[in-house]
């Protein structure tokens, strides 16, 4: 009877290892979609997620994105993606208090217009 339980635990563990990347991809892409909706519909710049920073960092590294680490700022990275047919900038930052990830998503044209305004053009 005990070997049956151990076998189930081993199978569960192997399943978690085999599907980890796909689950991480789905969870993070879903959070990016929610951040996009929060920005476009609600005007929120950032959303806090329950995603651990290590998973977000792995998401970035799998895409060849460099994670920036500075002495007095939390680690962060940015990347370009397509969400709901829109080209967007995604910025992810580590929450220093609990180690989770905060996400900001903005349309590229909105970012470019803000930059132009600040430069006075």
């Amino acid at each position: 009877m005990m070997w049956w339980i151990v076998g189930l635990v081993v199978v569960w563990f192997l399943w978690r290892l085999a599907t980890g990347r796909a689950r991480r991809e789905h969870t993070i892409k879903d959070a990016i979609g929610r951040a996009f909706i929060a920005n476009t519909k609600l005007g929120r710049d950032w959303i806090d997620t329950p995603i651990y920073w290590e998973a977000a960092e792995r998401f970035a590294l799998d895409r060849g994105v460099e994670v920036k680490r500075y002495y007095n700022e939390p680690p962060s990275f940015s990347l370009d993606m397509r969400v709901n047919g829109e080209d967007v900038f995604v910025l992810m930052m580590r929450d220093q208090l609990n180690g989770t990830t905060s996400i900001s998503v903005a349309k590229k044209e909105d970012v470019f217009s803000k930059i132009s305004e600040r430069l006075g053009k």
Side-chain angles (χ1 to χ4, degrees), residues 2 6 9-10 14-15 20 31 42 45 51 53 62 80 86 91 105 117:
M2 184 66 162
V6 170
V9 169
V10 168
L14 291 174
W15 174 80
L42 305 174
D45 290 334
I51 299 168
W53 173 250
D62 287 347
D80 298 336
E86 300 273 352
L91 179 62
V105 179
E117 287 173 13

Side-chain angles (χ1 to χ4, degrees), residues 7 10 15 18 40 44 68 70-71 80 82 91 94 114 116 121:
V10 168
W15 174 80
T40 57
R44 293 182 57 195
K68 296 173 182 74
Y70 299 108
Y71 173 72
D80 298 336
R82 227 170 144 68
L91 179 62
R94 182 178 190 272
K114 287 180 183 177
S116 295
K121 294 182 179 183

Side-chain angles (χ1 to χ4, degrees), residues 24-98:
R24 178 176 56 242
E25 291 273 329
H26 175 73
T27 302
I28 293 175
K29 284 181 179 179
D30 183 54
I32 290 170
R34 285 185 284 119
F36 179 71
I37 291 170
N39 182 291
T40 57
K41 305 288 187 206
L42 305 174
R44 293 182 57 195
D45 290 334
W46 290 91
I47 67 163
D48 296 323
T49 67
I51 299 168
Y52 288 110
W53 173 250
E54 291 76 15
E57 190 172 30
R58 173 55 53 196
F59 181 81
L61 294 174
D62 287 347
R63 285 163 174 67
V65 175
E66 179 185 351
V67 177
K68 296 173 182 74
R69 299 176 190 279
Y70 299 108
Y71 173 72
N72 58 351
E73 295 178 8
S76 64
F77 64 87
S78 63
L79 57 111
D80 298 336
M81 290 185 74
R82 227 170 144 68
V83 176
N84 296 337
E86 300 273 352
D87 289 325
V88 297
F89 283 125
V90 178
L91 179 62
M92 295 190 192
M93 186 179 338
R94 182 178 190 272
D95 185 329
Q96 295 291 73
L97 297 176
N98 58 13

